[in-house]
Coordinates of all heavy atoms in Angstrom, one line a residue:
T127 N 14.3 -4.1 1.4 CA 13.5 -4.2 0.3 C 12.3 -5.1 0.7 O 12.4 -6.2 1.0 CB 14.3 -4.9 -0.9 OG1 15.4 -4.1 -1.2 CG2 13.4 -5.0 -2.1
L128 N 11.1 -4.4 0.5 CA 9.9 -5.1 0.9 C 9.5 -6.2 -0.1 O 9.6 -5.9 -1.3 CB 8.7 -4.1 1.1 CG 9.0 -3.0 2.1 CD1 7.8 -2.0 2.1 CD2 9.2 -3.6 3.5
P129 N 9.1 -7.4 0.3 CA 8.7 -8.4 -0.6 C 7.3 -8.2 -1.3 O 6.5 -7.4 -0.8 CB 8.6 -9.7 0.3 CG 8.2 -9.1 1.6 CD 8.9 -7.8 1.7
A130 N 7.1 -8.8 -2.4 CA 5.8 -8.8 -3.0 C 4.9 -9.7 -2.3 O 5.3 -10.8 -1.9 CB 5.9 -9.1 -4.5
A131 N 3.7 -9.3 -2.1 CA 2.7 -10.1 -1.4 C 1.6 -10.6 -2.4 O 1.3 -9.9 -3.3 CB 2.1 -9.4 -0.2
T132 N 1.1 -11.8 -2.1 CA 0.1 -12.4 -3.0 C -1.1 -12.9 -2.1 O -0.9 -13.3 -1.0 CB 0.6 -13.5 -3.9 OG1 1.2 -14.6 -3.0 CG2 1.7 -13.0 -4.8
N133 N -2.3 -12.9 -2.8 CA -3.5 -13.5 -2.1 C -4.4 -13.9 -3.2 O -4.6 -13.2 -4.2 CB -4.2 -12.4 -1.3 CG -5.3 -12.9 -0.4 OD1 -6.2 -13.7 -0.9 ND2 -5.3 -12.6 0.9
V134 N -4.9 -15.2 -3.2 CA -5.6 -15.7 -4.3 C -7.0 -15.0 -4.5 O -7.5 -15.1 -5.6 CB -5.9 -17.2 -4.0 CG1 -4.6 -18.0 -4.1 CG2 -6.7 -17.5 -2.7
N135 N -7.4 -14.3 -3.5 CA -8.7 -13.6 -3.6 C -8.7 -12.1 -3.7 O -9.7 -11.5 -4.1 CB -9.6 -14.0 -2.4 CG -9.9 -15.5 -2.3 OD1 -10.3 -16.1 -3.3 ND2 -9.7 -16.0 -1.1
Y136 N -7.5 -11.5 -3.4 CA -7.4 -10.1 -3.4 C -6.2 -9.6 -4.1 O -5.2 -10.3 -4.2 CB -7.5 -9.6 -1.9 CG -8.7 -10.0 -1.2 CD1 -8.6 -11.1 -0.3 CD2 -9.9 -9.3 -1.3 CE1 -9.7 -11.5 0.4 CE2 -11.0 -9.7 -0.5 CZ -10.9 -10.8 0.3 OH -12.0 -11.2 1.0
A137 N -6.2 -8.3 -4.4 CA -5.0 -7.6 -5.0 C -4.2 -6.9 -3.9 O -4.9 -6.3 -3.0 CB -5.4 -6.6 -6.1
H138 N -2.9 -6.9 -3.9 CA -2.1 -6.3 -2.9 C -2.1 -4.8 -3.2 O -1.6 -4.3 -4.2 CB -0.7 -6.9 -2.9 CG 0.2 -6.4 -1.8 ND1 1.5 -6.2 -2.0 CD2 -0.1 -6.0 -0.5 CE1 2.0 -5.7 -0.8 NE2 1.0 -5.6 0.0
L139 N -2.6 -4.0 -2.2 CA -2.5 -2.6 -2.4 C -1.2 -2.0 -1.9 O -0.6 -1.2 -2.7 CB -3.7 -1.9 -1.5 CG -5.1 -2.1 -2.0 CD1 -6.1 -1.5 -1.0 CD2 -5.3 -1.5 -3.4
A140 N -0.8 -2.3 -0.7 CA 0.4 -1.7 -0.2 C 0.8 -2.4 1.1 O 0.0 -3.3 1.6 CB 0.2 -0.2 0.1
W141 N 1.9 -2.1 1.6 CA 2.3 -2.5 3.0 C 2.0 -1.3 3.9 O 2.2 -0.1 3.5 CB 3.8 -2.8 3.1 CG 4.2 -4.1 2.4 CD1 4.8 -4.2 1.2 CD2 3.9 -5.4 2.9 NE1 5.0 -5.5 1.0 CE2 4.5 -6.3 2.0 CE3 3.4 -5.9 4.0 CZ2 4.4 -7.7 2.1 CZ3 3.3 -7.3 4.2 CH2 3.8 -8.2 3.2
A142 N 1.4 -1.5 5.1 CA 1.0 -0.5 6.0 C 1.8 -0.6 7.3 O 2.1 -1.7 7.7 CB -0.5 -0.5 6.3
Q143 N 2.1 0.5 7.9 CA 3.0 0.5 9.1 C 2.0 0.4 10.3 O 1.1 1.1 10.5 CB 3.8 1.7 9.2 CG 4.8 1.8 10.4 CD 5.7 3.0 10.3 OE1 6.2 3.3 9.3 NE2 5.9 3.6 11.5
G144 N 2.3 -0.6 11.2 CA 1.6 -0.8 12.4 C 0.4 -1.7 12.3 O 0.3 -2.8 12.9
D145 N -0.6 -1.3 11.4 CA -1.8 -2.2 11.2 C -2.4 -1.7 9.8 O -1.8 -0.8 9.2 CB -2.8 -2.1 12.3 CG -3.3 -0.6 12.5 OD1 -3.5 0.1 11.6 OD2 -3.4 -0.3 13.7
I146 N -3.5 -2.3 9.4 CA -4.0 -2.1 8.0 C -4.5 -0.6 7.9 O -4.7 -0.1 6.8 CB -5.1 -3.0 7.7 CG1 -6.3 -3.0 8.7 CG2 -4.6 -4.5 7.6 CD1 -7.5 -3.8 8.3
N147 N -4.7 0.1 9.0 CA -5.1 1.5 9.0 C -3.9 2.4 9.1 O -4.1 3.6 9.1 CB -6.1 1.8 10.1 CG -7.4 0.9 10.0 OD1 -7.9 0.9 9.0 ND2 -7.8 0.3 11.1
G148 N -2.7 1.9 9.2 CA -1.5 2.7 9.3 C -1.1 3.3 7.9 O -1.7 2.9 6.9
A149 N -0.1 4.1 8.0 CA 0.3 4.8 6.8 C 1.0 3.8 5.8 O 1.7 2.9 6.3 CB 1.3 5.9 7.1
S150 N 0.7 3.9 4.5 CA 1.3 3.0 3.5 C 2.8 3.4 3.4 O 3.2 4.5 3.4 CB 0.6 3.2 2.2 OG -0.8 2.7 2.3
I151 N 3.6 2.3 3.2 CA 5.0 2.6 3.0 C 5.5 2.0 1.7 O 4.8 1.1 1.1 CB 5.8 2.0 4.2 CG1 5.6 0.5 4.3 CG2 5.5 2.7 5.5 CD1 6.4 -0.2 5.3
T152 N 6.6 2.5 1.2 CA 7.1 2.0 -0.1 C 8.5 1.4 0.1 O 9.1 1.5 1.1 CB 7.2 3.2 -1.1 OG1 8.1 4.2 -0.5 CG2 5.9 3.8 -1.4
S153 N 8.8 0.6 -0.9 CA 10.1 -0.1 -0.9 C 11.1 0.6 -1.8 O 10.7 1.2 -2.8 CB 9.9 -1.5 -1.4 OG 11.1 -2.3 -1.3
P154 N 12.4 0.7 -1.3 CA 12.9 0.2 -0.1 C 12.5 1.0 1.1 O 12.3 2.2 1.0 CB 14.4 0.2 -0.3 CG 14.6 1.4 -1.3 CD 13.4 1.3 -2.2
Y155 N 12.5 0.4 2.3 CA 12.0 1.0 3.5 C 13.1 1.1 4.5 O 13.7 0.1 4.8 CB 10.8 0.2 4.0 CG 10.3 0.6 5.4 CD1 9.7 1.8 5.5 CD2 10.4 -0.2 6.5 CE1 9.2 2.2 6.8 CE2 9.9 0.2 7.7 CZ 9.3 1.4 7.9 OH 8.8 1.8 9.1
Q156 N 13.3 2.2 5.1 CA 14.4 2.4 6.1 C 13.8 2.1 7.5 O 12.9 2.7 7.9 CB 15.0 3.8 6.1 CG 16.2 3.9 7.0 CD 16.8 5.3 6.9 OE1 16.2 6.3 6.7 NE2 18.2 5.3 7.0

């Protein structure tokens, strides 16, 4: 289960695999 991420200046779009240009993944993640 992927955690929620926070940033005081930005909104969290998604978790990406590998780097910020990688494919977005959803929770739960295998």
Side-chain angles (χ1 to χ4, degrees):
T127 300
L128 301 178
T132 59
N133 188 311
V134 294
N135 297 313
Y136 303 98
H138 185 214
L139 289 178
W141 291 103
Q143 185 173 320
D145 57 43
I146 59 173
N147 297 314
S150 296
I151 58 177
T152 58
S153 184
Y155 173 67
Q156 188 175 33

